[in-house]
Amino acid sequence: MFRSGTTRKNRTGLDNALAAVTSAAAAITGRQVVLTTTKFDRFARNMAEAGQILTGLRERDVLFGLGTSIYHWHDPFGKLFLQTLAMVAEFEANLNHLRTREGMAKARARGRRKGKQPKLPLAARKTIHRRYHDPDNDASLADLAEEHSVGRSTIHRIISGTAPRA
């Protein structure tokens, strides 16, 4: 199984799979070696990457399988089909990036923040910050954490930054 990643550098699962398939394995088993994936867009993120990987497989005499079909890079139809799949996979990835950015822009326009939402409401964060930094108040991290039913690390994040504001 390949691990997800957006660039070729971040895909150690794919690198391990590519390293495992060699023509030497074919020589030992006496059979043609096939690298198979269920979805092309999980295999390559763009046309350049697909071409690089498939060329490397061809140089090692390894076939490429997609689902239950095996495609030969030497065959003109197979090459055309794989290049078309790579083009569609890149198009889908680009659409996904576009949709994600549009969704983030809409959320930002509605005042929504990206990432994990704060565990405590703004009023509680202000109170914690004020009480901890008040010299007349001897509230400790542990006391504030217990009072608000959160971990000490949550309290530490609140008191370490500037005073919370909307």
Side-chain angles (χ1 to χ4, degrees):
M1 165 110 1
F2 304 152
R3 268 225 168 117
S4 184
T6 55
T7 65
R8 183 76 174 83
K9 290 184 265 183
N10 299 345
R11 305 191 57 210
T12 54
L14 176 60
D15 291 336
N16 293 340
L18 292 172
V21 293
T22 62
S23 53
I28 294 169
T29 62
R31 291 188 268 174
Q32 181 71 50
V33 176
V34 179
L35 176 68
T36 303
T37 185
T38 54
K39 292 183 177 183
F40 196 87
D41 63 337
R42 305 299 300 150
F43 171 71
R45 301 294 194 238
N46 56 53
M47 289 186 62
E49 183 177 288
Q52 177 189 18
I53 295 170
L54 291 169
T55 299
L57 292 174
R58 183 186 69 221
E59 289 169 354
R60 292 183 294 172
D61 206 24
V62 175
L63 298 177
F64 177 73
L66 182 61
T68 58
S69 303
I70 296 175
Y71 297 96
H72 297 270
W73 189 246
H74 296 291
D75 175 38
F77 175 76
K79 190 172 186 176
L80 172 68
F81 186 71
L82 291 172
Q83 287 174 334
T84 303
L85 283 176
M87 185 173 57
V88 171
E90 183 172 352
F91 175 70
E92 285 180 343
N94 290 339
L95 277 180
N96 192 25
H97 289 283
L98 179 68
R99 288 182 189 132
T100 300
R101 287 189 188 358
E102 286 174 353
M104 289 170 61
K106 286 179 183 177
R108 205 173 12 259
R110 288 192 314 259
R112 302 260 199 274
R113 295 176 22 175
K114 68 178 186 175
K116 191 173 181 180
Q117 297 300 314
K119 290 186 179 188
L120 295 172
L122 180 61
R125 293 194 315 266
K126 284 182 176 180
T127 301
I128 290 168
H129 194 275
R130 182 182 42 77
R131 284 185 56 200
Y132 187 82
H133 292 290
D134 183 2
D136 296 332
N137 194 332
D138 62 345
S140 69
L141 281 173
D143 294 338
L144 293 168
E146 185 177 330
E147 184 179 321
H148 291 278
S149 301
V150 294
R152 289 172 46 169
S153 59
T154 300
I155 302 298
H156 193 269
R157 272 191 302 277
I158 293 169
I159 63 169
S160 294
T162 58
R165 51 190 153 98

